[in-house]
Amino acid sequence: MATTIPSIACLGVIGRNNNPLHTSIFPSYDPSTNSYHPVRTPLQFSLILSSTLDVFELRSRQNQAAGVGLTGDFGLLHAVDDRLAAYGFETNTGIRFVVIVDMRGRRIDSAVAAGLADGRDKRIAGAAAGLREGEMRPVFKAMQAAYIRLTQNPFYDPDEHSSPLGHGGKKIMSKKFAEEMRRIGENWTPGITNL
Amino acid sequence: MDEYPAGSLDHNVPLLLTLGTRTGSGYDAGLGASLKEQAVLIRSDLAPLDSDQAHALLRYIRDRDASELPCNGRDASGRKYRFRVKTAERSLLLPPRRARLPEGIEAPSPSATPAPVLHSPYSPLSPISPLYPDGLIDTQWIRKHQELVPSVLLCFYALVSDPTLAKLCDNQIKTDINTIRALLSQSGYKTRLAVVLLSDHVSSAASFDGVQERLETIRRGSGLDSKALFLVPFTDSQEELERVAENMLTTLYTVSIEYYRDLGRHSRKKRGRGTVPQPTVPPTSGTSQTLSLAGWNVRYDFKSAMFAEYRLEMDVALRSYEQAYENLLSSEVMELIPSWSPRWNEARFLADVVSVRCLRCLFWNGQHSAAARRWQFHRERIADLVERQGRGTKNYGWEAWEARWAVVMADLIDKTDIPELAPTTLRLYLPPEKSIMGERLQPWELLHHTGYWHRMAAKHLQARKAFARAIPEDDRRSPSTSPASHVAKSAFAYDTYMCPDPHEEYPLGRAGVDHSQMIVDRLIRARAEFLKRRQARFAAEVTLECARELAVAKDWQNIVQLLRPIRKDMPFRAEGWVPIAEELNWALRTAAAEAGDAELVLLADWELLSRDFTKRPGWHYDITKSLEDVPLKSKPSVSIQDGQLISFVSASFLFKNEEGKAGQSVRSQLCIKSNAHQGSAPVVLQSVYVSFSGSLDGVVLRHRENEQASQHTHSKATVTTVPLAKHIGSDAQPESSTPDEANNGVTLLGSADLTLRPGQTLVFNMEIPLREPGETRADSLTLNVESEAFTLRQSLKFQERSNSSIWCISGSAMKSLPHPHPLAVHVLPRPPKMEIRCPIWREQYYTDEPITLRFEAENGEDVEALARLDVLLFGEKPPAFAVEIPGHEDQVSSSARSEEARLSGVPMGTIASSNTMAVCLRLPPIERSSRFDLTLKVTYFLPTNPGTPISQRAAFQLNIVSPFEANYGLLPRVHPDPWPSLFDPEGVPLPDTGNGDDDNHAPAPPKGISQAWCLVTRYASFASEPLRVTDVDITIQQATPTIRCSSTKRTGVLPASGTGRLVHPKTIEEAAFDLVAQKATVDDRSPAPLDISLIIKWTRPDADPVSVNTTTLPIPRFTLFGTEPRVLASVSHHRGSQNMTMMTMITLTVTIENASSHFLTFGLSMEPSEQFAFSGPKQTSLNLLPVSRRSVAYRLLPLAVTHQVRDESLGGEKGQDEAERAEEEEGGMWIRPALVVRDKYFQKVLRVIPASEGLRAGKEGLEVWVPTLGLGLGAAEGGEE
């Protein structure tokens, strides 16, 4: 018997001008076919990523009013539905990292699941296997590290990607960065502390 | 929640029924027909009250109905009771407590054992109940308590104050209450009875006791509890009434709670029995199965939970509900029910109801996350059950339920009215409550606002729709037309829990369930929630989904309405969310084409041409065809602003140079790049318009077909050189394509082939003439596409980017220009081509000479120039000057300030092209040497551009120096005339005889003493060039009338011809003048000053000799006529006899002048010397009368002395300079007669002053020149013969 645990469905990097810099999509487990494929289309992920911008705006306004949120970790932005949830992080240069977690994205054996949840039933176990607050922090840390490495590249011009004039920008084309994102997305499991 | 039977999910509120007030409407028992005939009638015999007071009270009670209040524990208005209020006038019906025996079963004979026990008609034990024999519980039961059986029956009676009627009425009331009480207890319900008595008069203190007594009587007579009898005193005040009513309701509420507590206790007692009650009649149909004990437990738990809910004991209720739920889904109840049985769906329904009630309890307690978790839990549980026992989750029925389940949650959240989740808080979800904080939580367990739930419902509805679409045709047929076997088969294949059968869900041949509408309804509600919380992008996403659904329904107009604002307002494009923009475009395009919105179609088609979007296979990608399938009313015209959409055309502009000059032209390049899909049709731009800010208004390029002449076609880029012509007269052809052409600026016109092929770049080289100084900047480009069907205008702003300074040399070659601002050219002012020259300019000009400066202004412009001249002379006390311009009057400068003289705006007239105009500047003679800055400025206008002044200036420095300087010596001479005698009577001035006569006469001839002087001047030219001195003279300023002075010029200084003499710079010239001065009277013996000026008349050697300049050099003042005695020596040389060539006789005359009024005696001595021999008194005394003079003459014969001797004698005076020695050698020698004149009286040696040529005052006294040769001095001397 198998049960599902959360996995990353999508990693998004959004620039200062609310422009998409990078999107990585990861396959999720589909119990009906017992195979892995992305839970949404790229367009849908685009929409989800873009809709997180609303939350970023709301939240930064609230944070500003409350004088909190200096770490940039916005935590859970919102749950898109009962399966997908978006987590966000904003660097102090205005780059936003978004992690979209599929709460039933990965299949594990029940033996392993027993360690995670003590439900009677695989569904209940799946439901119980939630996420703690701050569980995404390692992901953001790794993403930020990758982004910092990207900016250390002298050929990477941040202004080109998020023009200071405030309109759009190019996407990140670095293969290394994409590879790093892929690594982060694939390696993350709940409870992991270092990526 | 609407799909669930009414009342099944609602929050239960204690029911209060009022009786005895006229309401105008009858009492609706709400009983089914079968029960109605068995119903218990409770009836009041008294007429219902109709007084205002009764109505007011009733209205107040009804207003306090709590059934619609938000379901949360927060007490909104601080009230202590909750009632659901129903009213009846005179009678009400209660459902029968016991059902009758069903028809067909004979009445129980007393002998029959056991006797059939009658049960409630709502119990599965009664055959009349739909639950019979093995149902659990249904909505009927819930409704029975919520709507039919009141907890409190409140009877209204009037307390008549009329003493005659009071007794009678009180008795009637007592009787009526007793009747009702009897009926109630007969019915078997434990409904509490309460009475409210409305007093009809103002109670006074006197009558108070009476009323109390009457109340007591009524209470006792009817056996009422003291808490159940209320008196409402007669009052007009609403507040008073409300206060009484509040008190009454609060009291009744405790009674009511007590009622429900009894009921709950009863349920628990029944559950505690642990036995299955026997039905009235054993079931004979179906499986003959009766409800199991576990089922009964579910029923009892549910009941006690619900009664707890009535009492608002939510914790108790939750516990009981959970117990009921667990039991219901346990293996003993639900799992035993076969899924084909209708009981299965009833059980599912019951599970839903219980879950909803659980959720409400959780919400009530503020356990939001627990509620969300409970919600999920129920879903998982049911899904599991359905998967295992039912028909699985892969069918429309399940999805319908999922959708319903989400909607239920949304409605519950709405009902609960959580303040922390209100739209104004802008919060999207609630934080977990404290008890589960720190646990592993599903994000979904943080309660999100209803928008998310509605959206989730929509998602499930979509899935339901998809499943419905997948129903095979056979199942979609109506059962009446299908074979019976098939009907039987399909009946078990589909989950039809609370949703229609497949042939209703998606019937063949007719419309079934309108899924789209359901989805759209949900989405619209979700969208409203998102918009309330400023989730604009999320709302846009939902709107897109909505549009997709509407497209299925072909509701094009709505799609356009929904999507148009998103397209306009949402920043997807600007932020670079291209796939979203693309999705939006296609959706909008399709809808707009159907809805006939041509502009939107054009916009979308235009944008979709861009390669940023993915190419849709099979699409024509031809903007000219875009309106082919769109019905048009009129020719649409679309104007697209920059940034409004992702344009496939991009444009850049580049000035080749950073700077240009007005009047010149600058090369520039316009690039129009197409980023259209490969294979799309070329776009023919009808015209393009480049707009500028600055002097130029715009450049219009018009399309011209097949212009291959100056065009180098290349695969990527086409470079064209476009000649530009000035656009003349915008009125001749109203140009709609250029928006700003109404301006007065200059528009240039060119034409080129403007066919833009996909991926191609059109490059236009243009020579843009610059007119105004300042900055000219290319702003934007407007493209015009015109076809028979539409006009489209796209404006593009030029962006200054780091990589935009690329100049295309040819189609393939390009270079980068070091141009930091390629969009702008800095236009310098038009360089003046007027030249100001001074052909003859001297370094120095001289004082006292009138200066004439000639300037030339040469017009180097191509056209004639209308010029003006400004002259500014700056310096210390500049002279006023005059300007002569041929053909114009002379103008004289004005001096506004002391240090400048100015002449402004002298008209110079028109200077023809390449002509010269001479300007003459005249300065008057300047007396002092000085220095001036002269600035000339020519301001002119060209007829080609009359508004722009052009100016040229030239600056000169005028140095004015004094040409000469001089020094002077005044040497005394012996006046030859005799002095007048003091004792001469003629010299005595006559006293004035008449005033008038003397005045009229010329001044009397001077009669005083006279003296002679020789003025020797040495002047030097300080000019930088030779000057011709034509005359040198002196003038004597006759300052005082007491002396007369006259001068005589020595001749021989200058040539007599008058041509003068050329004086070279730095050479010293000498001029000597004889002066004779005479006092007017003898008596006047005071010293007299003498002011003389030296006048030099000169010209420049090359100048006209007529224009002679006069330089006057003032000579420092001399003082004549001292009173001290003077000793003047003069010599005359006499040549000896012819044979004595070497010998010269010298007569040395010593003249002693006594100008004083004393008698003076002088001793005169002459020492003998080796140098000469002399004759004359060696020692003598001279007595001088006042104002007299006497002379003593010596005759000297110099002795021939050798040089050696002289050298010896002069050995002590090594200071004798070489020049003198040379002179001596040349012409003679100096001898030193030791002549001493001594004032006898004062014993003072007087200095002997040389007073003629050939004498000099040496260091040791007077020295006399002895010429060696006879021809030495003789000629030059004017001595005595």
Side-chain angles (χ1 to χ4, degrees):
Chain A
M1 206 164 140
T3 187
T4 51
I5 59 163
S7 77
I8 290 179
C10 174
L11 287 180
V13 182
I14 301 175
R16 195 171 40 197
N17 300 336
N18 294 345
N19 53 321
L21 288 177
H22 176 86
T23 311
S24 287
I25 296 169
F26 303 95
S28 295
Y29 175 65
D30 183 0
S32 60
T33 55
N34 199 17
S35 60
Y36 281 90
H37 54 77
V39 70
R40 298 283 158 92
T41 62
L43 168 67
Q44 282 168 330
F45 274 122
S46 277
L47 285 164
I48 291 172
L49 286 179
S50 118
S51 69
T52 61
L53 289 170
D54 293 330
V55 194
F56 273 114
E57 276 166 23
L58 286 173
R59 207 67 79 69
S60 57
R61 199 175 304 147
Q62 283 164 1
N63 281 352
Q64 226 164 28
V68 294
L70 289 174
T71 55
D73 191 354
F74 282 62
L76 175 69
L77 299 174
H78 62 175
V80 181
D81 54 23
D82 54 333
R83 188 164 179 187
L84 298 180
Y87 290 79
F89 182 92
E90 181 168 347
T91 70
N92 46 14
T93 52
I95 307 292
R96 263 78 51 103
F97 301 128
V98 180
V99 179
I100 295 168
V101 178
D102 183 352
M103 296 307 293
R104 301 195 285 272
R106 194 169 290 152
R107 194 189 80 127
I108 51 168
D109 292 337
S110 55
V112 184
L116 287 168
D118 52 354
R120 284 171 293 197
D121 186 308
K122 70 164 187 183
R123 287 181 180 279
I124 299 160
L131 291 172
R132 282 216 179 81
E133 206 190 328
E135 193 117 45
M136 289 296 141
R137 222 160 269 166
V139 182
F140 292 133
K141 225 167 128 186
M143 285 176 86
Q144 195 175 12
Y147 184 75
I148 288 168
R149 273 198 292 282
L150 177 72
T151 51
Q152 280 165 349
N153 182 347
F155 296 102
Y156 178 81
D157 176 14
D159 282 351
E160 204 177 31
H161 296 268
S162 296
S163 139
L165 299 171
H167 264 298
K170 276 164 66 178
K171 294 198 173 188
I172 294 173
M173 307 302 274
S174 161
K175 273 183 200 158
K176 203 174 152 195
F177 185 75
E179 185 56 36
E180 188 67 14
M181 290 296 119
R182 202 184 57 74
R183 190 186 67 76
I184 294 168
E186 284 174 359
N187 289 356
W188 179 82
T189 50
I192 203 164
T193 54
N194 198 15
L195 274 168
Chain B
M1 278 195 187
D2 300 341
E3 290 170 310
Y4 288 90
S8 59
L9 303 180
D10 294 339
H11 175 51
N12 295 123
V13 184
L15 180 64
L16 172 81
L17 190 65
T18 65
L19 186 70
T21 310
R22 190 170 292 284
T23 56
S25 57
Y27 175 72
D28 175 26
L31 286 169
S34 59
L35 287 175
K36 202 162 188 171
E37 58 179 284
Q38 304 174 21
V40 181
L41 176 72
I42 291 175
R43 188 181 162 80
S44 162
D45 292 332
L46 296 177
L49 296 186
D50 206 2
S51 67
D52 287 345
Q53 196 184 4
H55 284 300
L57 181 61
L58 187 62
R59 201 182 313 122
Y60 181 76
I61 293 171
R62 290 173 92 167
D63 285 348
R64 309 295 282 173
D65 190 312
S67 54
E68 296 301 320
L69 284 183
C71 299
N72 54 38
R74 287 175 292 118
D75 230 47
S77 51
R79 67 167 119 177
K80 304 174 197 75
Y81 57 89
R82 278 170 179 254
F83 276 118
R84 174 172 157 77
V85 181
K86 279 187 87 174
T87 55
E89 278 189 11
R90 285 191 64 190
S91 60
L92 61 128
L93 284 171
L94 293 178
R97 190 78 178 85
R98 299 269 181 268
R100 281 188 202 152
L101 272 179
E103 307 266 328
I105 292 175
E106 65 267 31
S109 61
S111 58
T113 49
V117 185
L118 291 174
H119 293 282
S120 159
Y122 299 102
S123 160
L125 298 173
S126 300
I128 194 175
S129 163
L131 297 172
Y132 179 79
D134 52 355
L136 282 159
I137 197 162
D138 64 0
T139 324
Q140 289 300 316
W141 184 84
I142 301 172
R143 287 192 59 220
K144 176 181 117 182
H145 283 284
Q146 184 62 78
E147 292 181 5
L148 302 179
V149 183
S151 59
V152 176
L153 181 64
L154 183 62
C155 300
F156 280 57
Y157 293 107
L159 190 68
V160 182
S161 56
D162 187 351
T164 54
L165 291 171
K167 191 81 176 166
L168 177 66
C169 287
D170 288 0
N171 284 338
Q172 280 178 344
I173 291 167
K174 264 188 273 181
T175 319
D176 202 50
I177 294 171
N178 281 327
T179 316
I180 292 170
R181 174 185 298 284
L183 285 170
L184 262 181
S185 61
Q186 227 169 34
S187 75
Y189 292 109
K190 295 196 172 68
T191 301
R192 307 289 197 256
L193 186 66
V195 172
V196 57
L197 292 168
L198 297 157
S199 175
D200 63 351
H201 81 296
V202 184
S203 64
S204 63
S207 63
F208 184 74
D209 291 340
V211 170
Q212 280 296 323
E213 200 176 311
R214 285 174 66 192
L215 287 179
E216 192 61 23
T217 318
I218 292 169
R219 194 180 67 76
R220 251 183 275 130
S222 52
L224 277 174
D225 190 18
S226 63
K227 279 203 229 166
L229 184 69
F230 304 95
L231 173 73
V232 179
F234 183 84
T235 173
D236 285 333
S237 138
Q238 181 73 18
E239 284 84 36
E240 179 67 12
L241 190 70
E242 284 180 10
R243 195 182 57 78
V244 172
E246 283 287 314
N247 281 339
M248 179 175 75
L249 289 172
T250 310
T251 314
L252 286 180
Y253 186 63
T254 54
V255 175
S256 154
I257 294 299
E258 196 56 41
Y259 165 80
Y260 288 111
R261 188 163 291 132
D262 284 351
L263 288 180
R265 210 173 284 141
H266 182 66
S267 294
R268 279 204 301 282
K269 204 166 82 193
K270 283 206 268 189
R271 190 187 194 277
R273 276 187 211 139
T275 54
V276 181
Q278 284 306 305
T280 310
V281 228
T284 50
S285 59
T287 54
S288 324
Q289 196 186 347
T290 55
L291 192 61
S292 65
L293 177 63
W296 279 105
N297 283 343
V298 171
R299 189 174 160 87
Y300 293 138
D301 283 337
F302 183 77
K303 280 185 177 181
S304 46
M306 223 184 79
F307 291 133
E309 201 180 330
Y310 273 113
R311 302 193 302 266
L312 287 181
E313 291 171 15
M314 288 310 200
D315 289 334
V316 179
L318 178 62
R319 235 179 354 255
S320 298
Y321 278 133
E322 288 291 0
Q323 207 171 342
Y325 183 79
E326 283 303 323
N327 284 333
L328 176 64
L329 294 189
S330 70
S331 53
E332 288 170 53
V333 182
M334 190 100 178
E335 309 233 338
L336 293 181
I337 302 172
S339 63
W340 45 262
S341 160
R343 297 283 178 227
W344 163 265
N345 278 352
E346 282 176 29
R348 266 185 78 179
F349 168 71
L350 183 61
D352 286 356
V353 170
V354 171
S355 291
V356 170
R357 287 171 178 275
C358 280
L359 290 175
R360 186 163 43 232
C361 292
L362 289 168
F363 278 132
W364 191 281
N365 293 338
Q367 293 171 284
H368 308 117
S369 296
R373 191 178 267 185
R374 181 69 181 74
W375 177 90
Q376 287 204 70
F377 171 74
H378 176 62
R379 191 184 61 173
E380 307 288 338
R381 210 48 204 277
I382 295 296
D384 179 45
L385 200 67
V386 167
E387 290 256 294
R388 282 188 292 117
Q389 292 199 302
R391 296 162 182 98
T393 54
K394 296 271 177 276
N395 52 46
Y396 70 89
W398 172 254
E399 293 295 347
W401 180 82
E402 281 252 46
R404 188 177 308 120
W405 193 228
V407 173
V408 161
M409 189 65 167
D411 287 348
L412 268 180
I413 295 169
D414 269 346
K415 266 272 172 66
T416 311
D417 186 25
I418 304 164
E420 292 89 357
L421 212 53
T424 47
T425 60
L426 294 180
R427 206 180 259 176
L428 306 183
Y429 58 86
L430 290 173
E433 52 264 22
K434 284 205 180 76
S435 56
I436 54 166
M437 210 177 262
E439 278 181 43
R440 286 189 167 272
L441 284 176
Q442 293 265 13
W444 192 242
E445 288 170 4
L446 310 174
L447 187 70
H448 283 58
H449 67 76
T450 53
Y452 290 90
W453 297 95
H454 285 299
R455 179 153 182 267
M456 179 180 262
K459 276 230 161 92
H460 288 297
L461 285 171
Q462 276 162 349
R464 171 185 177 179
K465 181 179 163 191
F467 281 121
R469 293 283 181 277
I471 300 172
E473 278 193 15
D474 287 348
D475 295 342
R476 290 167 56 195
R477 277 199 195 94
S478 165
S480 55
T481 60
S482 316
S485 62
H486 191 86
V487 173
K489 197 183 99 212
S490 67
F492 299 106
Y494 295 98
D495 184 359
T496 55
Y497 170 58
M498 291 181 79
C499 62
D501 287 328
H503 60 88
E504 291 290 323
E505 174 84 9
Y506 189 45
L508 205 59
R510 63 189 174 87
V513 175
D514 191 350
H515 295 114
S516 292
Q517 192 53 49
M518 289 162 76
I519 295 167
V520 169
D521 286 348
R522 286 296 133 209
L523 288 174
I524 293 291
R525 285 196 63 176
R527 178 166 172 260
E529 293 294 329
F530 290 131
L531 284 177
K532 269 190 226 167
R533 290 169 177 84
R534 302 197 202 161
Q535 289 176 278
R537 290 182 179 83
F538 210 169
E541 180 183 348
V542 172
T543 313
L544 261 179
E545 283 172 23
C546 203
R548 230 170 281 145
E549 272 322 308
L550 286 171
V552 177
K554 304 204 186 312
D555 190 354
W556 308 116
Q557 207 60 49
N558 264 333
I559 298 177
V560 172
Q561 258 177 30
L562 278 174
L563 293 188
R564 192 204 283 269
I566 294 180
R567 186 204 151 81
K568 217 175 119 221
D569 302 333
M570 290 308 290
F572 292 126
R573 237 176 236 97
E575 291 172 0
W577 300 91
V578 173
I580 302 175
E582 179 179 345
E583 175 76 11
L584 196 60
N585 264 332
W586 281 115
L588 198 54
R589 199 243 175 248
T590 317
E594 297 288 342
D597 193 329
E599 292 188 13
L600 277 179
V601 174
L602 276 176
L603 280 176
D605 275 353
W606 182 256
E607 183 167 24
L608 285 168
L609 277 174
S610 169
R611 236 184 324 189
D612 289 336
F613 301 105
T614 46
K615 192 173 182 183
R616 177 177 281 199
W619 185 249
H620 55 66
Y621 284 111
D622 186 351
I623 188 75
T624 55
K625 288 186 190 163
S626 73
L627 293 181
E628 273 180 352
D629 47 355
V630 182
L632 292 178
K633 289 188 206 81
S634 58
K635 185 174 170 180
S637 168
V638 181
S639 177
I640 305 163
Q641 296 304 310
D642 183 49
Q644 205 179 342
L645 43 70
I646 297 173
S647 172
F648 74 96
V649 186
S650 58
S652 65
F653 193 86
L654 175 60
F655 281 111
K656 192 163 189 181
N657 300 318
E658 281 180 57
E659 283 186 345
K661 284 178 178 166
Q664 297 175 344
S665 59
V666 65
R667 288 187 71 192
S668 60
Q669 201 168 60
L670 170 71
C671 291
I672 304 174
K673 187 162 188 265
S674 161
N675 189 28
H677 284 292
Q678 281 302 333
S680 65
V683 177
V684 179
L685 307 173
Q686 204 244 344
S687 67
V688 298
Y689 173 75
V690 189
S691 87
F692 293 87
S693 62
S695 62
L696 190 62
D697 201 52
V699 171
V700 180
L701 298 183
R702 293 240 168 83
H703 176 61
R704 198 190 317 165
E705 285 291 349
N706 296 328
E707 202 188 330
Q708 299 289 338
S710 62
Q711 182 170 312
H712 315 282
T713 40
H714 191 268
S715 59
K716 285 286 281 182
T718 312
V719 181
T720 318
T721 302
V722 186
L724 295 176
K726 198 169 165 188
H727 180 70
I728 304 159
S730 56
D731 53 341
Q733 185 182 2
E735 189 70 57
S736 62
S737 58
T738 53
D740 303 326
E741 215 170 21
N743 294 1
N744 310 337
V746 184
T747 304
L748 299 168
L749 198 62
S751 57
D753 189 359
L754 295 174
T755 308
L756 195 56
R757 290 176 181 79
Q760 204 188 22
T761 306
L762 295 178
V763 182
F764 301 103
N765 287 329
M766 295 180 284
E767 290 271 344
I768 292 182
L770 305 170
R771 288 178 201 281
E772 303 271 334
E775 194 178 67
T776 295
R777 171 176 279 274
D779 284 335
S780 64
L781 177 76
T782 308
L783 311 171
N784 290 289
V785 179
E786 202 152 334
S787 81
E788 289 163 7
F790 63 87
T791 57
L792 187 144
R793 182 186 304 156
Q794 155 103 58
S795 85
L796 296 165
K797 277 207 162 53
F798 295 122
Q799 302 275 330
E800 228 165 57
R801 287 189 218 92
S802 54
N803 59 351
S804 58
S805 53
I806 302 290
W807 182 271
C808 293
I809 300 162
S810 70
S812 54
M814 49 187 67
K815 65 177 179 181
S816 180
L817 293 182
H819 195 333
H821 301 293
L823 288 183
V825 64
H826 185 72
V827 185
L828 300 175
R830 168 191 290 273
K833 288 186 178 165
M834 185 72 73
E835 203 182 344
I836 304 174
R837 279 186 311 232
C838 183
I840 306 159
W841 183 259
R842 293 179 208 277
E843 273 182 44
Q844 288 181 333
Y845 290 88
Y846 303 112
T847 51
D848 300 314
E849 113 179 288
I851 301 170
T852 304
L853 301 170
R854 286 177 203 286
F855 295 99
E856 287 177 357
E858 187 176 354
N859 180 11
E861 302 281 349
D862 297 335
V863 287
E864 60 187 13
L866 185 66
R868 284 177 171 278
L869 177 70
D870 292 342
V871 185
L872 174 69
L873 191 61
F874 187 84
E876 200 182 339
K877 287 187 186 162
F881 56 86
V883 173
E884 282 176 23
I885 293 167
H888 291 84
E889 287 182 11
D890 289 4
Q891 301 249 4
V892 182
S893 73
S894 61
S895 176
R897 290 183 294 156
S898 63
E899 62 269 29
E900 67 172 37
R902 178 188 284 279
L903 187 58
S904 301
V906 186
M908 291 172 78
T910 307
I911 308 173
S913 175
S914 71
N915 260 23
T916 305
M917 175 157 290
V919 176
C920 188
L921 193 67
R922 288 190 195 283
L923 281 88
I926 297 163
E927 288 172 3
R928 291 174 303 109
S929 63
S930 46
R931 175 178 272 197
F932 298 106
D933 289 323
L934 176 68
T935 309
L936 281 88
K937 190 168 106 179
V938 176
T939 308
Y940 63 100
F941 297 87
L942 297 181
T944 51
N945 196 2
T948 311
I950 308 161
S951 66
Q952 173 71 293
R953 61 172 65 222
F956 302 94
Q957 200 172 56
L958 199 60
N959 288 326
I960 295 167
V961 296
S962 179
F964 299 105
E965 285 193 13
N967 56 22
Y968 315 95
L970 189 66
L971 305 177
R973 289 289 180 265
V974 180
H975 199 279
D977 294 341
W979 278 19
S981 170
L982 192 61
F983 309 101
D984 190 354
E986 278 180 21
V988 177
L990 293 170
D992 280 343
T993 51
N995 293 327
D997 289 346
D998 278 352
D999 287 347
N1000 289 339
H1001 280 279
K1007 290 181 180 119
I1009 56 173
S1010 54
Q1011 285 182 340
W1013 300 85
C1014 176
L1015 178 71
V1016 180
T1017 67
R1018 289 185 186 83
Y1019 61 92
S1021 162
F1022 279 78
S1024 57
E1025 57 205 310
L1027 297 178
R1028 184 176 298 282
V1029 176
T1030 53
D1031 192 12
V1032 179
D1033 205 347
I1034 57 170
T1035 57
I1036 297 160
Q1037 278 94 34
Q1038 211 72 42
T1040 53
T1042 54
I1043 62 164
R1044 194 189 60 182
C1045 196
S1046 66
S1047 69
T1048 323
K1049 188 167 58 173
R1050 300 257 182 103
T1051 53
V1053 180
L1054 291 168
S1057 63
T1059 53
R1061 210 171 122 173
L1062 207 57
V1063 179
H1064 288 280
K1066 306 276 188 268
T1067 54
I1068 300 174
E1069 299 288 328
E1070 198 177 83
F1073 302 90
D1074 289 330
L1075 282 175
V1076 176
Q1078 190 176 19
K1079 287 266 183 178
T1081 58
V1082 180
D1083 293 336
D1084 182 15
R1085 283 186 293 276
S1086 61
L1090 182 64
D1091 290 315
I1092 317 170
S1093 299
L1094 178 68
I1095 294 166
I1096 302 172
K1097 295 192 173 162
W1098 56 275
T1099 60
R1100 287 178 182 268
D1102 50 351
D1104 183 10
V1106 180
S1107 61
V1108 175
N1109 305 316
T1110 306
T1111 298
T1112 307
L1113 299 170
I1115 295 170
R1117 169 175 289 191
F1118 295 113
T1119 306
L1120 305 179
F1121 298 115
T1123 49
E1124 288 296 309
R1126 304 198 289 182
V1127 181
L1128 300 174
S1130 58
V1131 290
S1132 57
H1133 296 85
H1134 304 277
R1135 205 164 290 153
S1137 55
Q1138 293 297 320
N1139 53 350
M1140 292 169 69
T1141 51
M1142 292 300 289
M1143 299 303 283
T1144 308
M1145 188 65 80
I1146 301 169
T1147 308
L1148 175 66
T1149 313
V1150 177
T1151 312
I1152 300 175
E1153 293 179 345
N1154 178 17
S1156 70
S1157 51
H1158 305 282
F1159 178 80
L1160 296 174
T1161 308
F1162 296 94
L1164 208 67
S1165 67
M1166 174 73 108
E1167 295 289 324
S1169 170
E1170 291 177 354
Q1171 290 178 316
F1172 58 91
F1174 75 94
S1175 76
K1178 192 179 171 194
Q1179 196 152 20
T1180 183
S1181 284
L1182 283 176
N1183 296 317
L1184 266 80
L1185 293 171
V1187 191
S1188 67
R1189 63 175 181 183
R1190 289 182 69 179
S1191 297
V1192 177
Y1194 292 93
R1195 290 206 295 176
L1196 308 182
L1197 180 67
L1199 303 173
V1201 281
T1202 59
H1203 289 296
Q1204 285 85 6
V1205 175
R1206 203 188 64 201
D1207 280 348
E1208 276 172 24
S1209 67
L1210 295 174
E1213 302 166 0
K1214 286 291 178 196
Q1216 289 272 6
D1217 57 4
E1218 294 300 316
E1220 190 181 319
R1221 189 173 294 174
E1223 190 187 346
E1224 281 173 19
E1225 281 171 13
E1226 185 192 302
M1229 60 172 193
W1230 292 96
I1231 54 170
R1232 212 168 288 129
L1235 180 71
V1236 176
V1237 180
R1238 192 185 299 269
D1239 189 323
K1240 282 267 176 108
Y1241 183 76
F1242 289 105
Q1243 285 301 315
K1244 190 179 145 194
V1245 177
L1246 295 178
R1247 198 168 61 92
V1248 181
I1249 303 165
S1252 74
E1253 299 286 330
L1255 283 173
R1256 73 176 186 190
K1259 288 216 172 73
E1260 291 172 8
L1262 190 69
E1263 289 180 9
V1264 179
W1265 175 249
V1266 181
T1268 316
L1269 295 170
L1271 44 94
L1273 282 166
E1277 280 167 32
E1280 272 177 53
E1281 289 300 317

